[in-house]
Amino acid sequence: MDMLMAMKVAAEIAHRGSFAAAGRALGLSPPSVSRIVSELEADLGVRLFNRSTRHVALTEEGQVFFRRGEAILEEIDALREVTRAQHRVLSGQITLSSSVAFGNELLPPAIAGFLARHPEVQVQLGVSNRTVDLIQEHVDIAFRIGVGGLPDSTLKAVRVLDYRLIFVASPGYLSAHGYPTDLEELKGRPVVKLFTGSWGHVHTLQTPDGPVEYRLPEAFSVDAFRAQLGAVLAGHGLSLMHDYVAAPEIAAGRLVHVLPGFQTVPQSVYAVYAHRHLMATRIRVFLDFILEWFKGRGVPLGGPEESEDRR
């Protein structure tokens, strides 16, 4: 028995609700469809479909087989398309949306790397912390932060990068104010707070004594990460900053990681997209490229995994 063909036949019957319609879609005669289903059910030892003269419905076992089988068929289609794409020129536009910090700091070099391989593709990137409607706004992939419920069941998401917020300060600031050793020592010190809307005022921090809710001082608040970075580099104050924004400045000696025992719980950037089975080849190839580009970067929590969404 050809298991792959049998899975395709079962999927077509489930979608179309008819052996005859499935046969027409696959170019098979009704007797061939019936034979394939019978052989498949015999091999599995379960009945997949309840049949009557007017109706075909999946059994409970058939529903499980259909869900798992459809996912496998989609991945096979994706593999086929990606492999074919390696031997032909990709073209067309990819429309992206991204949260501000990720879209400004980490995404442009990855996009440039992709375009170097596929120069006939055009990429349009919108950077905003607004949650876009992928379908209504014709966005192919949105890079979002956080985990929640996807509002549309046709959307899926995959984790791209894990990160934390860490405390940093300039060497000049630390020379003037000293190195803090706990959160209590931040009281009365200049602190630069990054916020967007309701986000950024209170953070859950991992500490030596367990998680705590910490409210940042209000003395100097900004709603743009570049303003935050500029103020901290100028020595105005200590700040709780995205680790991937701070990393190059720390490596160059312009910032210092302080209070290493106090940082936020890990957070994630996700790529949210319409169902992979409906993806154009250029979009699927781009998503696979992005996942490979960021593999192993950020907080070492493991590789990307499918998830349910994202802000």
Side-chain angles (χ1 to χ4, degrees):
M1 180 185 63
D2 184 337
M3 177 58 77
L4 183 58
M5 175 55 74
M7 292 165 63
K8 290 180 179 179
V9 169
E12 286 294 336
I13 295 171
H15 279 300
R16 301 174 185 277
S18 163
F19 279 45
R24 287 193 295 271
L26 295 171
L28 298 173
S29 66
S32 294
V33 173
S34 296
R35 176 183 55 78
I36 291 171
V37 171
S38 296
E39 290 178 354
L40 177 60
E41 290 178 329
D43 180 71
L44 298 174
V46 296
R47 190 174 185 83
L48 300 178
F49 297 96
N50 288 319
R51 300 98 144 161
S52 69
T53 56
R54 302 178 61 184
H55 186 66
V56 175
L58 286 166
T59 63
E60 184 176 345
E61 293 80 5
Q63 291 174 1
V64 173
F65 181 84
F66 169 68
R67 286 195 299 269
R68 299 288 295 275
E70 187 177 43
I72 292 170
L73 290 173
E74 288 171 1
E75 286 304 312
I76 291 173
D77 286 343
L79 176 61
R80 181 184 293 113
E81 286 300 312
V82 168
T83 303
R84 287 173 176 170
Q86 294 175 352
H87 301 284
R88 68 172 183 264
V89 176
L90 295 181
S91 62
Q93 180 171 295
I94 301 173
T95 302
L96 308 174
S97 172
S98 175
S99 58
V100 173
F102 182 74
N104 281 328
E105 289 297 303
L106 297 186
L107 199 51
I111 293 173
F114 175 81
L115 291 177
R117 292 189 185 183
H118 305 285
E120 298 300 315
V121 175
Q122 300 87 47
V123 174
Q124 178 176 306
L125 171 63
V127 177
S128 169
N129 285 328
R130 180 179 66 87
T131 300
V132 301
D133 185 318
L134 275 74
I135 306 302
Q136 292 296 322
E137 300 181 48
H138 306 289
V139 172
D140 298 310
I141 301 174
F143 295 93
R144 300 178 181 174
I145 298 172
V147 179
L150 284 174
D152 189 332
S153 62
T154 65
L155 300 179
K156 290 190 176 182
V158 61
R159 193 174 73 217
V160 175
L161 179 77
D162 298 310
Y163 70 94
R164 290 188 175 100
L165 302 184
I166 60 175
F167 284 104
V168 295
S170 70
Y173 172 94
L174 295 172
S175 295
H177 298 278
Y179 284 72
T181 58
D182 59 45
L183 297 177
E184 286 298 314
E185 294 184 34
L186 299 186
K187 292 180 178 179
R189 291 188 182 219
V191 174
V192 181
K193 181 179 73 175
L194 175 68
F195 77 97
T196 54
S198 62
W199 179 89
H201 301 282
V202 179
H203 291 281
T204 300
L205 299 179
Q206 293 178 322
T207 78
D209 298 320
V212 299
E213 297 294 307
Y214 180 70
R215 177 174 287 276
L216 290 167
E218 302 287 343
F220 185 7
S221 301
V222 298
D223 67 355
F225 79 95
R226 276 291 163 190
Q228 174 199 29
L229 180 61
V232 177
L233 287 172
H236 177 79
L238 176 147
S239 193
L240 191 61
M241 188 177 293
H242 293 73
D243 58 4
Y244 58 76
V245 174
E249 306 299 334
I250 293 172
R254 292 186 288 267
L255 289 181
V256 178
H257 183 191
V258 298
L259 294 171
F262 301 82
Q263 55 194 353
T264 64
V265 296
Q267 301 180 64
S268 300
V269 176
Y270 289 89
V272 183
Y273 53 93
H275 202 287
R276 285 182 66 92
H277 187 61
L278 304 178
M279 271 187 179
T281 301
R282 65 183 178 278
I283 300 169
R284 182 180 292 114
V285 172
F286 175 78
L287 178 58
D288 290 339
F289 178 89
I290 289 296
L291 296 179
E292 184 61 30
W293 178 276
F294 287 105
K295 186 176 181 180
R297 302 189 187 193
V299 178
L301 297 177
E305 65 185 18
E306 295 285 339
S307 183
E308 298 256 336
D309 175 24
R310 311 41 306 178
R311 281 191 297 126

